[in-house]
Amino acid sequence: MAVATMKSPHFLAGELVEVRSAAEIAATLDADGRLDGMPFMPEMVGFCGAKLRVSRRADKTCVEGHYGLRKLGAAVLLDEARCSGAAHDGCQRNCQIFWNEAWLKPAREGGASVVADLRAETAARQQMETAATHKDDSYYCQSTVLGDITAPQSKWAVGHLVTDVKQGELSLVDFVLMVGRTVVNRARGLIGLMDIGALAGIGETKTKGTLNLKPGEWVRIRSSEEIKATLNAEGRNLGLSFEPEMTRYIGGVYQVDFRVQKIILEETGQMAKLNRTVALKGLNCRGICAKNCPRANTLYWRESWLERVEAVDAGEERRSA
């Protein structure tokens, strides 16, 4: 398939954009349904024609495994545009979707743009909704290809943070704090210490919790000492990490968003089963520990890190700005 060239605007956070029609997007894709290596997934088709605001630029992204922060470019993330996992056997990673800027255009006033050729649009949608979601014996999605389509970023580079400040995605205060945190964490690593905010236990604890939480219930995040009692020396509870950024929410009261039962592992493309694990409303990674990574990955919480509270305590809910 010939890939059409399309001049892409440089969209910034806060701008209102319209996702192009399926037919327009299909014209940018190669025979494997990708543009610059990034697949247009079946879950994205439902956003065609929608008007959404840019939440962050995605000129960089963290990549799980040994990769760390990597260069991407020519892509943005949109508000309220997360992958449903519907075409990937119900994966619940809840990833923010990457949008190549060629798939977007500035939003016009009024309704969505009129589709000129309905037959071509219908055909394009049908083709894209049935795009491959497996490669060999692994799942295939934007998450699983990130290691291959991104470029290395120096661990000591700060230019990308300066760009974030210029584009309004990082304050000067946060810039200084982030650079300082990076230097301190590097030094801590050299002497065998964990990153700032990381929690570690004294041995493997065989409990994930027994709350059997349901969406809509309220919970309080337990104290540091209670959480450390469930972690091993690497800061994991039966394989699941308590991320350094999660410490900022300790003691807060939040609402359960959904139970996390299966996710596709970014490093391997395999589906992993989880239990006694939930996502809490509004609690996503802010990139503070990952050099302002824009992905806003959903944070996963073991039930052993939480305690159920009555709905009357909902007023204690704490959300950090």
Side-chain angles (χ1 to χ4, degrees):
M1 177 188 297
V3 179
T5 57
M6 191 178 296
K7 186 177 180 180
S8 304
H10 189 77
F11 296 114
L12 299 177
E15 292 185 346
L16 187 65
V17 298
E18 181 179 337
V19 181
R20 293 183 180 274
S21 69
E24 289 178 298
I25 292 173
T28 72
L29 305 178
D30 62 19
D32 295 319
R34 304 182 301 180
L35 175 59
D36 297 334
M38 183 70 77
F40 191 90
M41 304 181 298
E43 291 91 344
M44 301 168 69
V45 178
F47 291 103
C48 290
K51 292 183 178 181
L52 299 167
R53 290 199 179 276
V54 175
S55 60
R56 291 284 306 272
R57 287 201 56 79
D59 298 313
K60 60 183 176 183
T61 182
C62 56
V63 182
E64 295 180 6
H66 63 278
Y67 293 103
L69 194 70
R70 308 265 291 178
K71 298 176 183 178
L72 180 57
V76 298
L77 303 170
L78 304 179
D79 286 341
E80 303 176 13
R82 288 183 178 269
C83 179
S84 68
H88 291 80
D89 293 333
C91 171
Q92 295 176 298
R93 279 186 67 98
N94 200 36
C95 295
Q96 286 247 65
I97 295 171
F98 291 98
W99 298 89
N100 190 296
E101 290 180 294
W103 300 336
L104 308 171
K105 58 187 175 183
R108 305 187 317 172
E109 292 185 5
S113 301
V114 177
V115 175
D117 189 337
L118 289 177
R119 182 174 296 180
E121 180 69 7
T122 299
R125 283 177 174 264
Q126 291 176 342
Q127 180 178 5
M128 295 157 78
E129 287 171 344
T130 57
T133 57
H134 289 77
K135 191 172 184 180
D136 298 325
D137 60 347
S138 302
Y139 286 91
Y140 171 76
C141 65
Q142 289 189 345
S143 171
T144 63
V145 303
L146 283 178
D148 294 330
I149 68 173
T150 52
Q153 174 94 283
S154 170
K155 293 181 179 180
W156 295 101
V158 296
H160 61 95
L161 295 178
V162 174
T163 299
D164 290 345
V165 173
K166 291 179 179 178
Q167 294 179 163
E169 295 191 3
L170 185 68
S171 69
L172 282 173
V173 172
D174 285 340
F175 169 79
V176 173
L177 291 175
M178 202 164 289
V179 171
R181 186 186 189 101
T182 299
V183 173
V184 171
N185 280 340
R186 293 293 174 208
R188 289 172 65 90
L190 291 175
I191 58 176
L193 296 178
M194 299 181 73
D195 286 355
I196 297 171
L199 300 183
I202 57 175
E204 188 70 71
T205 303
K206 304 297 184 182
T207 177
K208 301 177 183 178
T210 57
L211 297 178
N212 194 27
L213 293 168
K214 296 178 176 57
E217 291 192 277
W218 291 86
V219 295
R220 180 182 289 106
I221 299 172
R222 292 183 180 274
S223 69
S224 296
E225 290 305 311
E226 289 176 299
I227 292 171
K228 285 164 66 175
T230 73
L231 304 176
N232 65 11
E234 286 73 45
R236 295 175 177 269
N237 173 271
L238 296 170
L240 183 65
S241 297
F242 189 89
E243 300 294 338
E245 188 163 328
M246 297 168 77
T247 59
R248 68 185 295 115
Y249 302 114
I250 286 175
V253 176
Y254 301 94
Q255 193 171 27
V256 176
D257 194 359
F258 58 91
R259 295 184 63 81
V260 183
Q261 298 174 305
K262 53 183 177 179
I263 59 172
I264 295 172
L265 300 177
E266 191 159 284
E267 308 97 303
T268 65
Q270 299 299 306
M271 185 75 79
K273 300 293 181 66
L274 290 83
N275 53 55
R276 306 298 184 185
T277 306
V278 298
L280 302 179
K281 287 186 178 179
L283 299 196
N284 302 311
C285 179
R286 297 169 44 142
I288 293 173
C289 302
K291 299 181 182 177
N292 208 33
C293 168
R295 286 184 76 177
N297 285 336
T298 297
L299 299 173
Y300 306 135
W301 301 84
R302 288 287 200 218
E303 291 188 347
S304 57
W305 302 337
L306 311 169
E307 58 182 336
R308 182 183 277 110
V309 297
E310 298 298 327
V312 292
D313 293 331
E316 297 179 36
E317 180 186 12
R318 183 183 71 192
R319 298 195 190 282
S320 302

